[in-house]
Amino acid sequence: MAPVHPVNLVALLHLCLSPIIFVEGNAGVNNMPFISPNPVEGPAQQDSEVVLMSGSKRAPISRMPSMGSFPDSDSYAFSHNEDLGFSIFLERRCKVVYFIRHAEAFHNIAEREHELGSLYLQEEHSGWKFWDAGLTPKGVEQCSKLRKELKSMAHQLDCEVVVVSPLTRTLQTARLTIGSVKFTDSPPPFIATDLCRERITNCPADSRRRLSVLKNEFPEVDFSQCIQSEHDSMWFDHKEDSQLCKERGIRFLKWLAKRPESRIAVVTHSGFLNRLFSQFGLGIAPDDQEELRRRPANCEMRGLILCAHRHFSDVPGTEGYEETRIY
């Protein structure tokens, strides 16, 4: 059967949110917890058990709701049976992706406490006070907690690459969480890309510092996939509304689909994730849809499966080629 043409995201890629995983082998998809850095108040706060979150509710893995149905698609790598409530993908088309929102940064405090809320972060109100904001002491503690939970997982977080937004708060979060976990083999490489940065508005907190400064401060990170301008030309020249951010999110998924790794960690931002996930979850159980689309907490990790309905090529002129430009 011929592959479908990339005219519709749902017809191309599907983020499967499932409490029961049937793909086994090298993909390593048997253990995909949602990890929250902020446990419920009270005695449960002392419990180190890794749990899944759904909105404001926290449920043990064994009590997660069942999977709903998934949208149909004409594809040779995809099998769908709505009556049975399952979708089956070829393992080689699937990747486990651990999405991590950055820990608390200083602009998060300002947004939460100022009467203008997020509007206060706009350049016209607070100037450049929160330019490329770094983590707060609480944010550093959140990273420490997530790092401990990663170490206590029954199956090691054996990601093959860590993809990170080139903003300071995400780079710090990546270093203090996954970058501080001791791996059995060599640690995974860290790659920064503008494809997964926060939506670009008139908010200096979402503008990165000079590229040479970031490279010097984070020598473990490969910045070759970023726009190679010393100053943040993308922030100055390419402001985004929600639709443009959504489109960049799709290009990011295609970029991930082209990569050779099957287990990937992505350290990014809540605004970007909200716009990305809002495009998925049609036709699944309401509880699962809410769990997929809700805004992630600071330093929360959300494990998902990225399933490509067909092959994506990175070679121009070949079958399945998709351009994944940054903008």
Side-chain angles (χ1 to χ4, degrees):
M1 184 180 299
V4 293
H5 189 272
V7 295
N8 185 303
L9 171 63
V10 177
L12 286 176
L13 301 168
H14 184 66
L15 286 173
C16 297
L17 180 63
S18 170
I20 304 176
I21 306 302
F22 292 95
V23 181
E24 298 183 353
N26 294 333
V29 297
N30 298 340
N31 183 46
M32 300 193 339
F34 285 31
I35 300 180
S36 167
N38 301 313
V40 292
E41 297 293 332
Q45 203 166 23
Q46 307 300 321
D47 188 0
S48 61
E49 178 186 7
V50 176
V51 296
L52 300 186
M53 296 186 63
S54 178
S56 60
K57 302 178 181 178
R58 293 168 57 88
I61 294 176
S62 60
R63 293 195 285 112
M64 290 302 295
S66 60
M67 189 192 321
S69 59
F70 296 95
D72 202 357
S73 176
D74 180 21
S75 172
Y76 59 80
F78 173 77
S79 177
H80 170 69
N81 189 316
E82 185 173 358
D83 293 335
L84 295 179
F86 292 103
S87 300
I88 296 179
F89 294 82
L90 294 178
E91 181 181 4
R92 59 189 173 87
R93 297 281 189 248
C94 299
K95 299 177 186 291
V96 178
V97 185
Y98 301 94
F99 289 96
I100 301 173
R101 183 194 175 191
H102 65 80
E104 183 189 74
F106 284 100
H107 73 296
N108 293 136
I109 297 178
E111 179 181 10
R112 184 170 61 245
E113 296 182 352
H114 199 277
E115 61 181 6
L116 291 177
S118 60
L119 288 177
Y120 177 61
L121 300 179
Q122 299 292 314
E123 183 180 7
E124 61 200 69
H125 296 295
S126 56
W128 287 74
K129 180 179 180 180
F130 301 103
W131 179 36
D132 199 7
L135 298 184
T136 65
K138 179 180 178 181
V140 174
E141 293 178 3
Q142 291 172 339
C143 290
S144 177
K145 184 178 186 301
L146 176 57
R147 182 174 65 251
K148 291 177 181 178
E149 291 182 327
L150 293 176
K151 291 180 179 179
S152 67
M153 288 172 59
H155 299 276
Q156 186 185 51
L157 184 68
D158 53 350
C159 57
E160 300 167 89
V161 65
V162 179
V163 179
V164 58
S165 158
L167 299 182
T168 295
R169 57 189 180 271
T170 44
L171 292 165
Q172 290 176 328
T173 300
R175 170 186 282 176
L176 295 175
T177 55
I178 301 176
S180 299
V181 174
K182 292 184 178 180
F183 290 83
T184 304
D185 300 321
S186 59
F190 283 60
I191 300 175
T193 174
D194 289 294
L195 281 169
C196 65
R197 65 184 292 169
E198 185 58 291
R199 182 169 78 97
I200 302 175
T201 63
N202 196 34
C203 176
D206 300 328
S207 173
R208 65 162 172 79
R209 292 176 291 160
R210 288 186 295 127
L211 191 59
S212 60
V213 172
L214 295 176
K215 289 180 178 180
N216 182 67
E217 190 171 327
F218 300 94
E220 71 273 27
V221 179
D222 176 5
F223 288 91
S224 64
Q225 297 292 314
C226 294
I227 296 174
Q228 296 299 298
S229 59
E230 177 67 354
H231 298 282
D232 192 359
S233 62
M234 188 172 177
W235 188 88
F236 285 101
D237 301 333
H238 297 279
K239 296 296 192 293
E240 297 175 320
D241 58 16
S242 288
Q243 183 59 35
L244 286 176
C245 185
K246 288 179 179 180
E247 292 172 2
R248 174 162 57 87
I250 300 314
R251 293 195 298 274
F252 177 62
L253 292 186
K254 293 177 181 179
W255 183 83
L256 289 179
K258 293 178 183 181
R259 295 197 60 85
E261 302 89 359
S262 61
R263 299 179 303 279
I264 301 172
V266 176
V267 185
T268 182
H269 308 264
S270 63
F272 175 77
L273 289 178
N274 282 347
R275 288 164 180 82
L276 175 62
F277 293 156
S278 69
Q279 302 175 80
F280 295 92
L282 298 174
I284 65 174
D287 287 348
D288 289 353
Q289 185 182 90
E290 178 185 358
E291 190 173 349
L292 172 66
R293 294 182 175 182
R294 66 173 176 76
R295 183 182 183 186
N298 284 123
C299 213
E300 177 188 336
M301 185 175 83
R302 185 171 301 181
L304 300 173
I305 298 179
L306 175 65
C307 302
H309 288 193
R310 61 172 176 79
H311 169 68
F312 284 91
S313 170
D314 203 26
V315 181
T318 61
E319 180 183 357
Y321 172 71
E322 288 287 341
E323 185 179 5
T324 51
R325 57 183 174 81
I326 294 176
Y327 56 79

